[in-house]
Amino acid sequence: MDKKNLVITIERQYGSGGRIVGQRLSQRLGIPYYDDEILSMTAEKSAVGEQYFRLADERAGNNLLRRIVGGMRDSLAGRPKIEGDVTSPDNLFKFQSEVIRELADSESCIIIGRCADHILETAGKKDLIKVFVYADTATLIRRTMEVDGILDTKEALNKLTRITRQRREYHKYFTGKEWEDVGNYDLPINASRLEFDQIVELIITYIRMVGYDV
């Protein structure tokens, strides 16, 4: 890896394997991988209980419709509050955004979800590659059943549908963008016909093609 603090963000449909891809890519490139770790790091930095961040993790705030209709960005600008309603979804997002920006400034790394692509792009991060991993419904159901140990197809589909809705609303709430719009990403990958290691190779090939020495 070159010395530029290259950050790879991975947004992923539930069941697509994006998290596993991120872990394997981290091993291949020899750079840190951040997923749930961001929650504990943010809790430590903010002195707010980690359970609040876990409850709000990749879920939209309480005023989703108002955000979608208008006024989306104004209340999320600036630093988080350290007194008063510090556990509001908006304020927790601000705390988390600070941690994500600090990680990106300090080292090359891989960050999973949590609108990291938008947070870093709007912060002016130059060495940033935004990946979106998705798959067809049959693949998402199959992998959800395999990874989560679910035996019933309907149960897997219900879980998949619920988490997909949460992530879609979360991304819309905090970025104003459509989460599944592949135009928001540098490298959208259809994982339906690919194994995880093949997806890793695809990402590495892309990174090299755009000029990074990995």
Side-chain angles (χ1 to χ4, degrees):
M1 176 68 70
D2 62 9
K3 304 295 184 182
K4 289 185 176 179
N5 283 3
L6 173 64
V7 177
I8 303 159
T9 61
I10 301 178
E11 287 289 339
R12 72 284 180 231
Q13 287 185 325
Y14 194 80
S16 68
R19 175 177 294 190
I20 297 172
V21 167
Q23 292 168 338
R24 295 189 184 184
L25 184 63
S26 168
Q27 294 169 354
R28 281 288 305 277
L29 298 181
I31 61 176
Y33 161 94
Y34 295 104
D35 187 358
D36 290 349
E37 297 85 355
I38 290 174
L39 304 180
S40 54
M41 293 170 69
T42 307
E44 182 176 353
K45 175 181 173 63
S46 64
V48 174
E50 186 173 335
Q51 68 271 22
Y52 292 105
F53 292 99
R54 291 199 174 275
L55 285 170
D57 190 33
E58 295 195 285
R59 292 176 175 83
N62 297 324
N63 298 308
L64 174 63
L65 182 59
R66 176 177 62 81
R67 288 252 187 266
I68 291 175
V69 172
M72 192 170 310
R73 296 293 90 235
D74 293 345
S75 68
L76 297 180
R79 296 179 59 82
K81 296 184 292 186
I82 57 174
E83 57 184 24
D85 188 14
V86 296
T87 61
S88 70
D90 290 10
N91 206 53
L92 295 176
F93 184 80
K94 288 182 182 180
F95 277 127
Q96 190 166 271
S97 297
E98 282 195 338
V99 168
I100 288 171
R101 288 191 292 266
E102 288 171 3
L103 287 171
D105 287 341
S106 66
E107 62 185 354
S108 294
C109 60
I110 297 164
I111 301 177
I112 304 295
R114 299 173 182 85
C115 300
D117 55 335
H118 177 80
I119 291 165
L120 296 179
E121 185 174 52
T122 55
K125 174 67 177 171
K126 300 298 184 185
D127 297 298
L128 174 66
I129 293 177
K130 302 172 295 178
V131 177
F132 182 66
V133 183
Y134 65 101
D136 58 39
T137 302
T139 301
L140 297 176
I141 291 173
R142 174 174 58 82
R143 288 180 174 164
T144 296
M145 293 175 73
E146 291 172 355
V147 173
D148 294 352
I150 297 174
L151 300 179
D152 180 68
T153 301
K154 185 177 180 181
E155 181 183 349
L157 178 60
N158 288 341
K159 181 173 185 178
L160 174 63
T161 301
R162 173 175 53 82
I163 295 177
T164 297
R165 183 180 66 251
Q166 289 173 350
R167 290 182 180 175
R168 184 184 295 130
E169 292 177 351
Y170 173 84
H171 203 270
K172 182 73 171 182
Y173 180 85
F174 287 115
T175 73
K177 299 177 181 179
E178 298 298 333
W179 176 58
E180 292 152 309
D181 180 355
V182 296
N184 293 328
Y185 306 96
D186 300 307
L187 183 61
I189 299 174
N190 186 338
S192 304
R193 297 166 62 182
L194 298 172
E195 300 297 329
F196 297 141
D197 286 337
Q198 291 176 314
I199 300 171
V200 170
E201 290 298 335
L202 183 57
I203 295 172
I204 291 174
T205 299
Y206 177 83
I207 293 170
R208 289 172 175 159
M209 290 178 68
V210 296
Y212 293 94
D213 181 18
V214 298

